[in-house]
Amino acid sequence: MRVVVGGGTGFVGRALTQLLQSRGHQVTHVSRRGGEDRISWEELSRSGLPQCDAVVNLAGENVLNPFRRWNDAFCRDIISSRVETTKTLAKAIAAAEQPPRAWVLVTGVGYYRPSPTAEYTEDSPGGDFDFFSRLVSSWEAAAVIPGSPARGVVVRSGVVLGRGGGAISQMLLPFRLGLGGPIGSGLQPFPWIHIQDLSGILCHALEKDSVHGILNAVAPSSPGTCNGAFARALGAALGRPALLPLPAWAVRAAWGPERALLLLQGPRVLPRRTLQSGYRFLFPELPAALRDIVA
């Protein structure tokens, strides 16, 4: 297939590109600047979608960027980098003379309301209780193309764990120094997925014509993982203790009260439709996933 990937130069985009190319597919990135095997967002808006068989959008400003303060400008950037890029791709797909067969959008499990007990499948309600849930609703709504023959898939991802980026990259140093531990109470659910499985689910959604609708991209054992259990497993993978908690007040002071909720709360998410679609996880259990990443 010829696959156009919005935001393809980021952490997940690089992994997905490598997997797609290893399976014989051709990849064109959409990014801020054009170049070899890539076009700019401006060029996409001006000239339309290159001829392709599938489109994926991974674009989005890092919500937990430690170098950005939480203010109106940052909120606008977060929304624009997700909703507007999705609208741009959807508009290009709708206008294409030969539309792609598949249109895949990656959003997040922030759609589901945090709860220590409730469990959410792809059919569960959500998307209407705080800034991040409403963001996901707007993001997914922007991908809808009425009457399009393109098969639509929305992949709601958990916390992506992988080498060289993502959540682990900010945790490794303190954990290697024996200074890691749970965040807040450590009891909050921690919906996670190995980057190879997120890439695998995306590739599965592109290649399998029967896959459509919502897929939760979280590991099968993720519903049983709390933040404290994750901290202990990461410490064990590194051969270090993980006993020093990061107090909730410090998280709020560092990230602001809105972003702190992403770290201090979490939903318990099940990948029911993902498993029913036939995808088989490479890293269903956390210890093996972490050993692969930190080895």
Side-chain angles (χ1 to χ4, degrees):
M1 291 189 295
R2 295 160 297 179
V3 184
V4 170
V5 181
T9 57
F11 177 52
V12 176
R14 294 192 302 272
L16 176 61
T17 297
Q18 185 177 18
L19 178 59
L20 289 172
Q21 290 176 339
S22 74
R23 295 177 68 86
H25 305 304
Q26 298 176 8
V27 180
T28 300
H29 293 156
V30 187
S31 59
R32 289 185 179 91
R33 290 179 294 276
E36 186 178 356
D37 296 326
R38 71 175 65 177
I39 60 173
S40 68
W41 290 101
E42 182 182 351
E43 187 180 349
L44 176 70
S45 299
R46 185 176 64 248
S47 304
L49 192 69
Q51 195 167 30
C52 62
D53 304 295
V55 178
V56 181
N57 193 23
L58 301 169
E61 171 83 22
N62 178 10
V63 173
L64 293 174
N65 184 342
F67 303 108
R68 295 291 302 271
R69 284 181 55 248
W70 184 261
N71 53 29
D72 289 344
F74 187 38
C75 288
R76 286 194 296 271
D77 286 348
I78 288 171
I79 295 169
S80 175
S81 65
R82 288 163 171 77
V83 178
E84 295 306 318
T85 59
T86 301
K87 284 181 179 178
T88 298
L89 282 167
K91 184 177 179 181
I93 292 169
E97 288 186 17
Q98 290 184 293
R101 299 197 306 270
W103 165 216
V104 180
L105 175 67
V106 179
T107 64
V109 296
Y111 177 85
Y112 306 109
R113 184 183 292 273
S115 168
T117 55
E119 291 187 336
Y120 300 104
T121 71
E122 290 86 350
D123 298 319
S124 299
D128 60 357
F129 57 88
D130 66 2
F131 172 85
F132 296 105
S133 66
R134 288 188 286 272
L135 170 63
V136 175
S137 290
S138 300
W139 197 357
E140 295 180 0
V144 175
I145 309 172
S148 174
R151 176 173 52 83
V153 183
V154 172
V155 177
R156 292 178 182 152
S157 173
V159 178
V160 183
L161 306 180
R163 198 176 304 174
I168 289 284
S169 64
Q170 297 181 31
M171 300 179 192
L172 272 183
L173 180 58
F175 273 84
R176 286 192 191 280
L177 295 173
L179 302 175
I183 296 174
S185 71
L187 300 176
Q188 64 272 34
F190 187 82
W192 64 273
I193 186 166
H194 192 291
I195 192 167
Q196 288 186 33
D197 277 317
L198 178 55
S199 301
I201 290 168
L202 294 173
C203 196
H204 173 72
L206 291 169
E207 293 179 342
K208 194 165 182 178
D209 291 339
S210 61
V211 177
H212 61 89
I214 308 294
L215 299 180
N216 284 337
V218 295
S221 68
S222 169
T225 306
C226 65
N227 180 270
F230 170 78
R232 290 190 295 273
L234 180 54
L238 292 167
R240 297 287 190 275
L243 303 174
L244 294 177
L246 183 60
W249 64 264
V251 177
R252 294 188 189 99
W255 301 105
E258 295 90 350
R259 282 194 290 183
L261 293 176
L262 295 175
L263 300 171
L264 297 171
Q265 300 178 356
R268 200 179 303 276
V269 181
L270 285 73
R272 180 177 294 171
R273 291 192 75 239
T274 306
L275 291 167
Q276 289 173 346
S277 75
Y279 181 74
R280 295 294 173 261
F281 282 79
L282 298 172
F283 295 98
E285 302 291 338
L286 184 59
L290 291 174
R291 284 196 300 271
D292 175 79
I293 292 164
V294 305

